[in-house]
Amino acid sequence: MSALIEAENLTRVLHETVPVTLVMDVSLTIGENEFIAVTGPSGSGKSSLLYLLGLLDRPTSGTLRVGGRDAEPMGEGERAGMRLSMLGFVFQFHFLLPEFSARENVEIPMRKLGRLSRPKMRARAAEILESLGLEGHIDKRPDQLSGGQRQRVAVARALANDPPLILADEPTGSLDTKSSEQVFRILEAVVRERGKTVVAVTHDLDLAARMDRRIHLVDGKIEADESLASAEKH
Amino acid sequence: MQLILEIAFTHIAGRGRQTLVAIIGVAVGVGFSIAMAALMEGGQDDFVEQLVNTMPHVEVTDEERSARRQPAEAIFAVTEISGLRPREDRRGIINPTAALAWLGGWVPGRFAPSLNAQGVVRFSGREVGAAIVGIDPQSERGVSPIVGEFVAGDFAALTAGGNNIVIGDTMAERLGAELGDTVTAVSSQGLTRNFRIVGLFHTGTTARDEGEAYVLLKNAQILAERPNAVNKIRIKLDDPNQAPAVARRVEAELGYKAEAWQEANEALLEALVVRNVIMYTVVAAIMLVAGFGIFNIISTITHEKARDIAIMKSLGFAEGDMRRLFLLEGVVIGLGGSAFGWALGFGLVYALSLVRFELAATGQEMTRLPIAWSLLHYLIASGFALASAAVAGYLPARRAARQNPVDIIRGAT
Ligand SMILES: Nc1ncnc2c1ncn2[C@@H]1O[C@H](COP(=O)(O)OP(=O)(O)O)[C@@H](O)[C@H]1O
Ligand SMILES: [Mg+2]
């Protein structure tokens, strides 16, 4: 099983009036079909780490390989291309484009990638949305959907180009318990049924306990990186 | 890219009123630029047309551009010439018959020879200085600015032969002479001859109406004591724009100075160029102002959509895509404004073309504003508009594209 992400001594320092260390000396390897929780107190650098792994931000030092390719020499356009085909993001807030329907939002990354014909994109967008329990809401705009529904559209959008890795930053953070459970199950299904790797930041230790691997951050450093015994996993 | 275009449209549509204001700004700029260009060029065309109609397109005179080379200079490498005295009289064009025959072989237009002599026209004790122009009535018809401008008598009366003269109405007034009166022409050589006035013309050009008298070539030659001499050939071309080329060829072959109307009116034509420069400066200024409207709306959109930009970047759009997106929004507004501007410009020009007024004070009538209809005005105006829109869109687009998505996503979370 090849590694999706290999990070070595990743450090991210913000050069403000006082240098702020967001991520400190993080080394980790993420393989295919993993279900990983990133936990830690607020301000411990969970989001910052995710932005680094997702090629949205550049580390101050350390090396990062995504899909076997060194991220360091990549230009802005190349990193964008990697985000488009290799990665899917889900944020705490849905971050859908407000003028477009659920289906159009899911289609946008596909259209940017341009690998499928338009009818196939439409069909695929509908299919993903339906598989996430959104049948009947496909042509609604974000403001016509509930919070949980929007977040599911965001997951659908992250899946649009069939990337091997989904990065989620507190995807259930702003949802009520019921919607939260629903979204969690969807992410779980993404791993179990679609064979993706999901890395999800969460505050909810119960949810983290249901995932396969937990990376615990404190002050930007990995304090614990524990996997469940494989017996427990299945 | 169609996707970018779709997103651009949703952004613009989301700010309907502001977009409308920006589009109206561009439209007004384009419309008034078109109207101004039509008026300016109309006036210019009118002016040039009058110039072209009243002047010969090429005037060949018996002067030479540079001093004649002395025969000794042609033979010896170094010469010193002293005690050189210019010849007294003007030579006239040597062998005019051959020159005219040569011109007849290729000149695309009409031409006429003449002998211009300085003199005085006298009538009942009054005198007016005049250029006495000896002409051949037959060929003169093709080039003359006076043939169609007679207020009394007519040009054909000259053809009949005899001692006839036609003068301008102003000269007649100053002399107190009328059609049918006999005036005396006195040449600078001191010779006098009587002529009967058979026609009065009014061209509107004061110098001509007051200072030119036309007689038969033969009579002028007698007055000037220069039998068979011709000192000017005037050429009217079918296409006035060919004048410089024709002038060059004539000058190269005949050796006499041949002046195209463009050369003769260089200062005036230069003034027209300056006018155009001023006009396009004003057009650019108008478009700059229209550009502010576009800059304003695109800036607003990029601020308002900062989050969407961050999202799109996280989805895999590159900075270049974001730049294109907002640049496109500026250009779309520019295009929309141009389209309405064309309609407005057309309407304005049409309205101007209907304006009629009279310049009663000078007795001259100007029935309508001179207006030039030209697609080029529309293209130039919208060219300026689009350029300004592109710049106005590009500046905020570049800033928005550069913004780090992490800052925005972090701020929102
Ligand atoms: N632009 C910034 N300037 C200063 N400090 C920042 C900035 N962005 C983030 N931080 C700080 O960096 C730390 C890590 O932030 P973050 O990665 O968002 O943590 P988490 O997601 O675990 O809550 C926090 O202490 C946060 O306050
Ligand atoms: Mg966070």
Side-chain angles (χ1 to χ4, degrees):
Chain A
M1 204 180 262
S2 68
L4 290 175
I5 287 191
E6 295 158 279
E8 261 175 73
N9 310 110
L10 273 191
T11 299
R12 176 69 167 106
V13 181
L14 270 183
H15 296 281
E16 308 280 299
T17 36
V18 210
V20 185
T21 303
L22 306 179
V23 173
M24 181 74 187
D25 215 17
V26 165
S27 299
L28 54 77
T29 302
I30 296 173
E32 278 178 10
N33 200 18
E34 289 201 67
F35 195 21
I36 304 171
V38 178
T39 57
S42 181
S44 57
K46 306 181 294 293
S47 298
S48 303
L49 177 61
L50 226 57
Y51 301 150
L52 287 175
L53 300 183
L55 301 175
L56 277 175
D57 198 8
R58 283 180 187 264
T60 312
S61 65
T63 58
L64 174 66
R65 300 174 72 79
V66 179
R69 291 180 56 202
D70 189 359
E72 171 67 23
M74 286 185 197
E76 190 268 334
E78 217 173 333
R79 294 161 74 89
M82 292 289 280
R83 290 199 292 273
L84 186 64
S85 58
M86 289 281 297
L87 302 164
F89 283 97
V90 180
F91 298 102
Q92 179 175 359
F93 298 101
H94 61 86
F95 277 177
L96 300 173
L97 296 183
E99 296 94 347
F100 294 94
S101 71
R103 188 218 302 266
E104 286 167 332
N105 264 286
V106 178
E107 278 182 57
I108 282 171
M110 297 188 213
R111 293 181 62 186
K112 172 62 190 158
L113 188 63
R115 267 196 206 138
L116 300 175
S117 65
R118 283 302 294 280
K120 282 202 174 129
M121 290 180 194
R122 287 178 65 80
R124 177 173 165 79
E127 180 203 310
I128 299 174
L129 286 165
E130 278 163 17
S131 76
L132 302 191
L134 289 163
E135 56 279 326
H137 303 291
I138 286 172
D139 291 314
K140 288 185 180 167
R141 293 199 320 186
D143 57 10
Q144 297 166 311
L145 297 170
S146 73
Q149 288 167 338
R150 286 179 207 161
Q151 201 59 311
R152 278 183 277 159
V153 176
V155 175
R157 182 178 62 184
L159 292 169
N161 285 332
D162 205 21
L165 178 60
I166 307 288
L167 300 171
D169 193 356
E170 302 190 35
T172 62
S174 59
L175 302 179
D176 59 45
T177 325
K178 190 167 159 264
S179 306
S180 175
E181 177 64 22
Q182 212 171 10
V183 169
F184 182 82
R185 284 188 185 205
I186 282 167
L187 290 175
E188 195 171 32
V190 165
V191 179
R192 309 279 181 244
E193 284 156 33
R194 295 180 189 251
K196 311 281 179 206
T197 290
V198 170
V199 179
V201 171
T202 182
H203 278 303
D204 191 326
L205 293 180
D206 291 340
L207 291 183
R210 290 158 65 187
M211 293 159 83
D212 298 345
R213 177 178 165 191
R214 278 163 301 283
I215 295 171
H216 191 67
L217 286 184
V218 175
D219 291 339
K221 283 187 226 144
I222 295 186
E223 210 186 60
D225 181 353
E226 49 181 32
S227 299
L228 295 179
S230 39
E232 217 177 314
K233 205 166 158 185
H234 294 290
Chain B
M1 192 175 183
Q2 204 202 335
L3 175 58
I4 299 276
L5 193 65
E6 269 174 48
I7 297 172
F9 273 114
T10 64
H11 284 177
I12 293 171
R15 301 210 61 89
R17 248 186 48 179
Q18 213 180 347
T19 302
L20 198 65
V21 169
I23 285 181
I24 290 173
V26 176
V28 168
V30 169
F32 277 87
S33 298
I34 289 170
M36 183 168 69
L39 216 51
M40 295 275 282
E41 199 182 307
Q44 175 176 327
D45 288 352
D46 199 51
F47 179 78
V48 171
E49 198 184 300
Q50 269 173 18
L51 213 62
V52 165
N53 284 347
T54 53
M55 290 190 67
H57 299 156
V58 177
E59 191 170 71
V60 187
T61 55
D62 58 351
E63 293 163 42
E64 281 158 48
R65 292 229 184 229
S66 51
R68 196 165 270 267
R69 274 164 75 85
Q70 294 302 316
E73 288 177 307
I75 299 167
F76 301 107
V78 182
T79 50
E80 189 193 304
I81 296 166
S82 60
L84 194 66
R85 260 190 310 139
R87 288 204 196 193
E88 275 294 320
D89 65 340
R90 291 171 118 207
R91 305 163 48 89
I93 291 170
I94 295 170
N95 200 353
T97 325
L100 292 170
W102 177 71
L103 289 174
W106 64 275
V107 167
R110 305 157 309 281
F111 52 87
S114 65
L115 178 68
N116 291 40
Q118 282 310 309
V120 169
V121 177
R122 219 182 255 163
F123 180 69
S124 66
R126 271 176 277 201
E127 282 187 352
V128 174
I132 297 165
V133 188
I135 55 160
D136 164 35
Q138 223 60 51
S139 53
E140 184 70 11
R141 279 189 180 278
V143 304
S144 173
I146 64 165
V147 170
E149 309 286 349
F150 277 76
V151 291
D154 78 86
F155 185 79
L158 267 188
T159 327
N163 293 332
N164 292 333
I165 191 168
V166 299
I167 62 175
D169 59 348
T170 317
M171 184 190 284
E173 222 166 275
R174 287 187 54 187
L175 289 170
E178 281 171 16
L179 195 69
D181 288 339
T182 298
V183 296
T184 308
V186 186
S187 71
S188 51
Q189 279 74 17
L191 294 184
T192 64
R193 207 173 167 89
N194 290 338
F195 292 99
R196 202 166 68 89
I197 300 175
V198 294
L200 298 175
F201 56 83
H202 175 88
T203 60
T205 310
T206 315
R208 180 162 283 146
D209 294 341
E210 188 176 290
E212 286 187 0
Y214 291 80
V215 297
L216 287 180
L217 183 57
K218 172 175 54 104
N219 288 330
Q221 286 166 342
I222 293 168
L223 265 175
E225 286 190 292
R226 293 165 75 184
N228 301 322
V230 161
N231 63 5
K232 206 174 258 190
I233 299 171
R234 283 161 299 149
I235 304 175
K236 278 272 193 204
L237 297 169
D238 300 330
D239 175 10
N241 293 325
Q242 286 187 339
V246 170
R248 265 194 304 279
R249 184 163 167 195
V250 169
E251 187 158 326
E253 174 72 21
L254 298 182
Y256 294 111
K257 181 176 169 189
E259 197 176 48
W261 63 273
Q262 290 96 328
E263 189 191 343
N265 296 286
E266 221 174 332
L268 283 176
L269 294 177
E270 264 167 26
L272 292 181
V273 171
V274 171
R275 239 171 73 118
N276 283 335
V277 169
I278 292 172
M279 179 179 83
Y280 285 115
T281 308
V282 172
V283 170
I286 294 175
M287 290 309 167
L288 190 69
V289 174
F292 280 122
I294 295 177
F295 180 83
N296 190 30
I297 181 174
I298 304 295
S299 289
T300 311
I301 291 176
T302 55
H303 281 121
E304 202 174 62
K305 296 292 177 190
R307 214 188 59 167
D308 291 16
I309 298 168
I311 300 166
M312 285 190 271
K313 278 190 174 174
S314 78
L315 291 178
F317 285 81
E319 282 184 19
D321 295 318
M322 295 297 103
R323 259 199 314 273
R324 267 193 290 284
L325 171 62
F326 294 104
L327 184 66
L328 203 62
E329 290 178 17
V331 170
V332 165
I333 293 173
L335 276 174
S338 281
F340 284 113
W342 281 30
L344 179 66
F346 185 85
L348 280 172
V349 173
Y350 182 71
L352 286 171
S353 75
L354 296 181
V355 173
R356 279 160 210 280
F357 55 89
E358 285 171 26
L359 288 177
T362 61
Q364 239 178 339
E365 260 179 38
M366 192 172 177
T367 50
R368 62 176 66 183
L369 289 168
I371 282 178
W373 295 90
S374 164
L375 186 62
L376 195 64
H377 300 156
Y378 292 73
L379 295 179
I380 288 174
S382 47
F384 269 108
L386 286 183
S388 138
V391 172
Y394 181 75
L395 296 177
R398 195 181 54 166
R399 200 180 20 151
R402 277 191 190 155
Q403 208 154 41
N404 187 354
V406 167
D407 295 339
I408 291 153
I409 292 168
R410 204 192 280 284
T413 315

